[in-house]
Amino acid sequence: MNRNTTTIIDDNEQKCLLDWINSLDRQKMIFNNNCDGYFFNCEILQENASPEITTLIRDIKDRIIIAESLNKSDIENPIELEDFIYIMPPGTQLHKHKDVNKSGMYHVRFNLLLQRAEKGGICVYGGRKVLCEEKCYVLCRSGIDFHASTIVEGNKSRIVISYGFNIPITTISEYPNIFDSKI
């Protein structure tokens, strides 16, 4: 799996996002616990986010689009999907699963680690544990490879922003950074 070991955000951006997430009223969040973890949808919460936060979340996605060459002009571009912020408190984990692909598309996600758990919360993509540093992201071919995480342990939640795309199957040869192995 592709792991970007270069930070995609700086310390101030990380702090800004974590301060915003930690300031939210957890009683008003829409939590989903069908994955033995908890997440809330960034799009819903952006209604109450400041323009600064909304712009920052979009700017980071644009950086990933550039870093992963998802903005080619001579082919059909990937379709952007809804982005999520995952909060995985201690004792939770993401169960092993694959996401649904839309017809003629492969669903991929770039998961930016904002806050690492004290222990655990490690990504498992395609049966391999993938370590990631805070402020970096990991590619998850979520519609192709089974993915999960180990149990979050300690006192800190694992917090991730997950940026999603549907990539047309007819264009996968244009993205060797994503589709480097047989599907």
Side-chain angles (χ1 to χ4, degrees):
M1 291 299 119
N2 183 26
R3 179 168 66 107
N4 183 333
T5 55
T6 304
T7 57
I8 195 81
I9 62 172
D10 64 30
D11 292 340
N12 291 332
E13 292 169 328
Q14 178 190 32
K15 182 182 180 328
C16 183
L17 289 167
L18 288 173
D19 286 350
W20 169 64
I21 291 165
N22 290 324
S23 75
L24 296 170
D25 182 353
R26 304 288 173 145
Q27 299 300 321
K28 294 182 180 178
M29 289 181 190
I30 299 173
F31 282 95
N32 179 335
N33 64 359
N34 67 347
C35 293
D36 300 326
Y38 300 86
F39 67 88
F40 59 91
N41 182 320
C42 184
E43 292 299 318
I44 292 169
L45 292 176
Q46 281 181 0
E47 293 172 8
N48 299 319
S50 69
E52 177 185 65
I53 293 295
T54 303
T55 299
L56 178 55
I57 290 170
R58 180 67 226 185
D59 286 349
I60 296 165
K61 190 169 194 172
D62 288 342
R63 290 177 211 162
I64 292 170
I65 288 169
I66 291 167
E68 297 296 327
S69 300
L70 297 176
N71 55 349
K72 300 179 185 295
S73 61
D74 56 339
I75 62 169
E76 181 181 2
N77 285 322
I79 297 167
E80 293 185 28
L81 298 175
E82 194 167 46
D83 306 318
F84 297 97
I85 297 176
Y86 287 85
I87 299 175
M88 296 180 68
T92 63
Q93 71 183 101
L94 186 67
H95 76 290
K96 183 179 176 181
H97 71 286
K98 272 197 257 187
D99 294 346
V100 176
N101 288 314
K102 185 178 173 184
S103 179
M105 302 277 188
Y106 282 133
H107 184 172
V108 299
R109 302 196 78 74
F110 296 93
N111 296 325
L112 168 63
L113 183 60
L114 284 179
Q115 179 174 287
R116 183 181 9 207
E118 289 175 0
K119 184 178 176 187
I122 297 169
C123 307
V124 181
Y125 297 137
R128 294 184 345 205
K129 287 184 180 178
V130 179
L131 300 177
C132 185
E133 298 298 322
E134 287 184 352
K135 301 181 286 183
C136 297
Y137 66 87
V138 176
L139 164 67
C140 177
R141 300 182 323 172
S142 56
I144 299 169
D145 301 317
F146 280 100
H147 53 285
S149 77
T150 62
I151 294 173
V152 173
E153 299 176 59
N155 295 314
K156 285 175 43 180
S157 296
R158 177 178 182 257
I159 301 176
V160 171
I161 298 180
S162 183
Y163 294 98
F165 299 87
N166 272 332
I167 298 180
I169 292 172
T170 57
T171 66
I172 63 172
S173 64
E174 300 292 327
Y175 302 102
N177 53 317
I178 297 171
F179 303 102
D180 59 350
S181 61
K182 291 185 179 180
I183 299 174

